[in-house]
Amino acid sequence: MSVEYDITTRIFTLHTKNSTYQMQADSLGYLLHLYYGRKTKGLTDWALAFSDRGFSGNPYDSSNDRTYSLDVLPQEFPVQGTGDYRNTMLEVRNDKGVYGCDLHYFGHEISEGKYSLHGLPAVYANPNEEAQTLTITLINERLNINVKLLYGVLPDKDIITRSIIVKNEGKNPFTVMKLCSSCLDFTHGSFDMITFHGRHMMEKQFDRQRLHHGSHVIGSRRGMSSHQYNPFVILAEHDTAENSGRCWGMQFVYSGGFEAAAELDQYNQTRLIMGLSQEKFSYELEPGEKIIGPEVIMTFSDEGLSKLSQNYHECIKKNICRGKFRDLTRPIVLNTWEALYFDFNGKKILEIAEEARKLKVDMLVLDDGWFINRNNDNRALGDWIADEAKLGFNLGELVKYVNKLGLKFGLWVEPEMISENSRLYHEHPEWAMIIPDDKPVLGRNQLVLDLSRHDVREYIFNSVSKLLEQADIEYLKWDYNRSINEVFSHKTNNGKVIYDYMLGLYEILERINKRYPDVLIEGCAGGGGRFDAGMLYYTPQIWCSDNTDAIDLLKIHYGTSYGYPAIVVSAHVSSSSNHQTGRFTPLKTRYTVAMSGTFGYELNPLTLSNDEKNEIISQIEQYRKDSAIISDGLYYRLSNPENETFCAWEYLSRDGSVALINVVVLLNHGNMPQIYITPRGLTSGTFYRDIENGKIYASDALMDSGFPLKMPKSDFEGYTFRLERLS
Ligand code: DGJ
């Protein structure tokens, strides 16, 4: 049993293969957190310490026990207004404007299988995969609030998930002002917080900071998970490294605004919480209504950050991504964006398709600019009708021609948006989220549709369906190119819009996935602006960045690898000089970087030399051979590109028999110190052969000392090494 309950002490224990999580419903009915760490036997309530602490209040029911304070004790579900002055998970305001709500343990249920969340993405268990759910019910009798804390356990994956449901069971409305889904309290210890910050075209930059007193808060107020902070954080002890040490992760399965806060308190205790952003959020619950806090995926590793990442990789690959593409090699695409931008017609597209076919790519993706009036990025969003005058064909015909050449066809869309300069806006200005009589903030000169409205969702679903019905479109690139600013709806209570928007988006994506299971959807938000486990539940790959520069991508991929597996990371080989940075890099290096995920090209094949075309043909051949190990293998980071002169990473086949190691040299230097590459995870006590040059290495020595890389002759050289076990 992965979930156990000890009736005498009221202690709940969640076991995974390598970890144990423990909490207690104490005699006052509060849920105290006891332990999350290495797998252990027994009960850990001895970990609780009680002493009289000034200015830390005591619950009335503690009978004046001045050693009992929720301001000090480690909690499972800290709530505002209970005398805990640290960051809390729930804030409630009643209909008179009074804050606070004290919740007490009421009961619990242990059930087989992993819970799901109505209308929200969540980890699921596969058939025959062991999984259990613990549901703990807490109630507040004054306000008649019923809270369910959900815990999902996937023991074999070392994954524990948390979510929360808050329900109004009373007669009066109340408003949820803050809702977090997960909390981890540490009574001692000293930690670093690892986060992934960034910006458009430079997402998920690794950042590791020692926690000091106060709160270290990251998040997004943009109505999207954002380029600026990824909804994924790690707490690590100071000496935790790639291959050793303890660390804990929290990853949000949600694509809207979020907050993650790590607080070091007055007694040097640390609390980490994760949940919805409070920005523009005040969720009124009428009697009978409820709100669900999106899921947080937690994992613990005492073998360092690599293991923590691998736990997340497995979970995202097999328990978040769904549909027929989950386990398939994804098509190698040629995308027209950087090849042509808006400057094309149907003839040009077919010329490119013809050339793409010779290169042996699988699919042509027609990016932005194909629909009426869309000759630049200032207009026409919302009018999802192909521009036949520009294309020279209707969409069905164009796709047929492309198919005839032997290529599949994919299409770019941005369905959540509306341009003022569009037919749709002319007909339905009230569908745009703008505050009446106010001037909205524009982003890329566009506005966001109010997806909290049913009629808007119907319009989007029907427009996308219409496209998919009229042509054999096998892939959609679902883009989203601005942050939300104005949160206003003509229909929905305004405190609810920001959250209901996301429910609306998930509903549309779910319907499209259900009706068109053979269509692969790639998520995108100006690259990685919505790169999160929530989107991955509907779109099993995401365009990682609008920056296609191989050298910048090294760092973007490095940060991404902490929480997400390579197969969900879409990256393309683009032209040199690069359109975002102006940098020149060898074609081989561009391939080495882009092939480390779901792969394609984003350049004009008509401008390539014969040598380049031949090189691309071999790259594609090679990728087809390596794609299984890239998508299914164990991933290891072999360098830290922040500190080192190179970036190296490894994919290891499940049985350890093959290691694929990619290396890119950053800037070359005069009289450069020797670079060594140190593989990981090889089978101890065996030998491996480099299949290119035949060199044979003893696995243990190789993992200790590494092999020398030949001296680079220039910047940005890229290499791939294939090592095969000899026995
Ligand atoms: C932003 C995307 O990230 C790009 O790849 C491209 O599709 C443009 N939008 C098109 O407008």
Side-chain angles (χ1 to χ4, degrees):
M1 284 288 270
S2 42
V3 181
E4 291 164 4
Y5 176 63
D6 183 89
I7 198 160
T8 334
T9 55
R10 300 211 295 183
I11 289 180
F12 298 93
T13 305
L14 316 180
H15 284 302
T16 71
K17 197 165 60 181
N18 298 299
S19 72
T20 297
Y21 188 105
Q22 230 167 49
M23 67 196 120
Q24 179 175 37
D26 75 0
S27 57
L28 297 182
Y30 291 111
L31 263 189
L32 301 183
H33 177 75
L34 299 177
Y35 179 79
Y36 187 24
R38 182 182 309 179
K39 187 158 190 167
T40 183
K41 290 190 170 142
L43 305 175
T44 55
D45 42 344
W46 40 259
L48 295 173
F50 298 87
S51 25
D52 184 355
R53 304 289 197 177
F55 289 88
S56 289
N58 322 107
Y60 202 83
D61 291 346
S62 68
S63 311
N64 207 11
D65 176 358
R66 289 170 49 161
T67 71
Y68 187 105
S69 176
L70 294 177
D71 198 24
V72 183
L73 286 164
Q75 293 193 64
E76 200 53 32
F77 180 52
V79 179
Q80 189 258 349
T82 58
D84 186 345
Y85 298 94
R86 296 170 285 180
N87 291 322
T88 53
M89 288 172 69
L90 180 70
E91 276 182 32
V92 166
R93 201 183 62 188
N94 76 5
D95 55 343
K96 309 273 182 307
V98 181
Y99 280 83
C101 116
D102 200 8
L103 285 146
H104 295 268
Y105 172 78
F106 182 71
H108 73 271
E109 195 190 334
I110 297 170
S111 49
E112 282 309 313
K114 163 71 178 55
Y115 65 85
S116 54
L117 299 174
H118 181 72
L120 282 167
V123 163
Y124 63 90
N126 291 288
N128 304 323
E129 181 172 23
E130 192 188 335
Q132 282 195 310
T133 295
L134 166 66
T135 308
I136 298 180
T137 303
L138 307 161
I139 54 166
N140 171 294
E141 285 174 359
R142 177 173 60 89
L143 295 167
N144 281 308
I145 302 181
N146 178 305
V147 169
K148 295 211 182 306
L149 302 181
L150 303 172
Y151 296 81
V153 187
L154 296 187
D156 290 339
K157 299 244 169 58
D158 277 323
I159 291 292
I160 295 177
T161 65
R162 285 192 68 174
S163 180
I164 174 170
I165 303 174
V166 180
K167 185 168 181 203
N168 183 352
E169 293 196 327
K171 294 201 168 58
N172 300 311
F174 63 81
T175 304
V176 177
M177 304 299 294
K178 177 178 187 184
L179 186 62
C180 286
S181 304
S182 196
C183 172
L184 254 187
D185 270 355
F186 298 84
T187 48
H188 58 102
S190 184
F191 301 97
D192 295 335
M193 186 178 186
I194 297 175
T195 58
F196 303 90
H197 72 99
R199 54 190 185 272
H200 178 222
M201 297 200 185
M202 209 61 205
E203 298 85 343
K204 293 191 229 61
Q205 301 299 295
F206 178 88
D207 193 20
R208 182 169 182 162
Q209 289 186 39
R210 190 188 182 101
L211 289 180
H212 295 286
H213 286 100
S215 288
H216 183 42
V217 185
I218 60 133
S220 158
R221 303 187 181 110
R222 297 166 180 268
M224 62 197 287
S225 49
S226 89
H227 301 86
Q228 285 69 17
Y229 290 100
N230 194 261
F232 171 50
V233 297
I234 302 170
L235 275 195
E237 289 178 324
H238 302 312
D239 58 358
T240 297
E242 278 297 332
N243 313 318
S244 63
R246 302 199 303 158
C247 44
W248 295 257
M250 278 194 192
Q251 183 167 148
F252 211 20
V253 189
Y254 188 63
S255 316
F258 76 98
E259 194 172 293
E263 181 176 9
L264 184 61
D265 77 4
Q266 54 182 334
Y267 301 115
N268 300 334
Q269 310 189 106
T270 300
R271 167 172 291 173
L272 177 65
I273 58 169
M274 181 176 260
L276 296 173
S277 165
Q278 283 179 269
E279 185 85 4
K280 295 164 191 155
F281 172 85
S282 56
Y283 210 87
E284 187 173 276
L285 293 180
E286 292 292 337
E289 283 188 340
K290 62 182 175 203
I291 177 168
I292 305 176
E295 183 163 274
V296 171
I297 310 175
M298 298 190 294
T299 192
F300 162 78
S301 156
D302 66 348
E303 295 170 50
L305 295 161
S306 276
K307 181 68 172 67
L308 180 126
S309 295
Q310 288 169 0
N311 291 349
Y312 277 116
H313 295 172
E314 291 307 296
C315 178
I316 299 277
K317 272 195 259 189
K318 299 293 181 200
N319 303 86
I320 282 283
C321 293
R322 300 176 300 163
K324 85 169 204 190
F325 296 97
R326 185 188 84 163
D327 301 319
L328 291 183
T329 299
R330 313 287 164 75
I332 298 172
V333 306
L334 189 134
N335 179 297
T336 60
W337 180 241
E338 288 196 19
L340 304 168
Y341 296 102
F342 292 99
D343 184 17
F344 60 84
N345 54 32
K347 187 167 162 275
K348 192 65 157 203
I349 296 298
L350 291 179
E351 279 167 18
I352 285 194
E354 170 71 46
E355 212 50 52
R357 180 192 58 88
K358 292 188 202 146
L359 298 177
K360 302 213 168 57
V361 307
D362 299 313
M363 177 183 279
L364 182 91
V365 176
L366 179 55
D367 210 285
D368 200 352
W370 56 267
F371 49 102
I372 44 168
N373 207 16
R374 181 73 172 174
N375 287 321
N376 56 48
D377 62 6
N378 286 317
R379 58 212 302 136
L381 292 170
D383 300 341
W384 301 108
I385 299 163
D387 185 344
E388 291 184 22
K390 177 173 180 176
L391 295 176
F393 317 103
N394 66 38
L395 196 57
E397 285 163 350
L398 179 68
V399 176
K400 267 197 195 124
Y401 288 131
V402 171
N403 289 164
K404 250 198 194 145
L405 291 171
L407 291 175
K408 297 172 195 286
F409 184 88
L411 192 67
W412 176 95
V413 285
E414 193 178 0
E416 298 160 69
M417 296 292 161
I418 179 166
S419 305
E420 276 181 292
N421 185 346
S422 67
R423 286 187 199 170
L424 184 65
Y425 189 79
H426 187 69
E427 284 164 23
H428 287 291
E430 79 285 7
W431 284 6
M433 281 208 280
I434 47 179
I435 300 168
D437 304 324
D438 212 350
K439 291 181 187 151
V441 169
L442 297 171
R444 213 190 189 199
N445 214 1
Q446 62 199 50
L447 301 167
V448 186
L449 283 167
D450 175 7
L451 267 64
S452 73
R453 293 176 64 129
H454 180 256
D455 46 5
V456 171
R457 297 199 294 276
E458 281 304 301
Y459 175 79
I460 294 177
F461 178 73
N462 290 332
S463 316
V464 174
S465 297
K466 219 170 176 180
L467 291 172
L468 296 175
E469 301 290 341
Q470 69 189 262
D472 188 13
I473 296 166
E474 298 182 65
Y475 160 113
L476 284 178
K477 177 174 171 188
W478 187 288
D479 208 348
Y480 179 92
N481 280 302
R482 62 159 294 177
S483 311
I484 293 180
N485 185 60
E486 288 73 21
V487 174
F488 178 85
S489 172
H490 288 272
K491 279 254 166 97
T492 313
N493 167 327
N494 285 305
K496 292 184 165 182
V497 175
I498 198 79
Y499 174 84
D500 285 3
Y501 179 98
M502 215 32 79
L503 293 185
L505 171 63
Y506 292 148
E507 179 198 293
I508 297 168
L509 289 169
E510 183 70 10
R511 284 177 73 189
I512 295 176
N513 273 328
K514 279 228 164 86
R515 187 182 285 184
Y516 305 100
D518 295 332
V519 175
L520 169 62
I521 310 181
E522 171 165 298
C524 176
R530 237 175 15 189
F531 199 114
D532 54 71
M535 285 308 286
L536 288 169
Y537 190 71
Y538 306 94
T539 69
Q541 60 189 55
I542 298 178
W543 180 233
C544 193
S545 183
D546 273 356
N547 184 348
T548 57
D549 174 78
I551 304 308
D552 277 355
L553 270 181
L554 287 171
K555 285 194 181 168
I556 297 170
H557 285 179
Y558 174 76
T560 305
S561 75
Y562 279 86
Y564 305 92
I567 186 155
V568 307
V569 178
S570 170
H572 296 167
V573 172
S574 61
S575 61
S576 181
S577 62
N578 177 269
H579 291 195
Q580 291 79 41
T581 61
R583 200 180 341 258
F584 291 89
T585 48
L587 183 52
K588 181 168 179 209
T589 301
R590 282 175 272 148
Y591 168 71
T592 308
V593 176
M595 64 89 105
S596 299
T598 281
F599 163 70
Y601 291 81
E602 181 128 352
L603 39 69
N604 188 343
L606 300 168
T607 61
L608 294 170
S609 69
N610 281 339
D611 284 353
E612 286 171 319
K613 285 180 193 166
N614 289 335
E615 191 172 338
I616 288 178
I617 291 170
S618 344
Q619 290 177 347
I620 288 176
E621 251 173 48
Q622 192 57 52
Y623 182 78
R624 293 195 200 283
K625 289 187 198 143
D626 291 335
S627 64
I629 185 170
I630 294 168
S631 53
D632 193 44
L634 288 175
Y635 183 92
Y636 293 96
R637 291 173 290 273
L638 304 183
S639 67
N640 176 351
E642 296 294 330
N643 312 328
E644 284 155 316
T645 49
F646 66 101
C647 184
W649 62 103
E650 171 187 336
Y651 304 90
L652 182 73
S653 65
R654 300 255 141 199
D655 62 358
S657 63
V658 184
L660 187 70
I661 296 168
N662 282 351
V663 183
V664 174
V665 175
L666 301 172
L667 286 183
N668 196 13
H669 297 287
N671 206 8
M672 178 108 140
Q674 178 62 51
I675 292 172
Y676 284 87
I677 307 299
T678 312
R680 300 274 327 284
L682 306 180
T683 315
S684 176
T686 62
F687 289 89
Y688 282 78
R689 184 181 51 210
D690 181 325
I691 62 171
E692 241 70 54
N693 59 24
K695 275 192 188 148
I696 293 180
Y697 303 101
S699 61
D700 299 290
L702 190 58
M703 288 190 286
D704 267 3
S705 310
F707 64 87
L709 191 75
K710 71 173 189 219
M711 238 353 136
K713 292 205 170 57
S714 62
D715 298 338
F716 317 135
E717 285 179 3
Y719 309 87
T720 299
F721 299 91
R722 286 180 186 74
L723 304 182
E724 269 179 16
R725 198 176 54 208
L726 285 182
S727 45

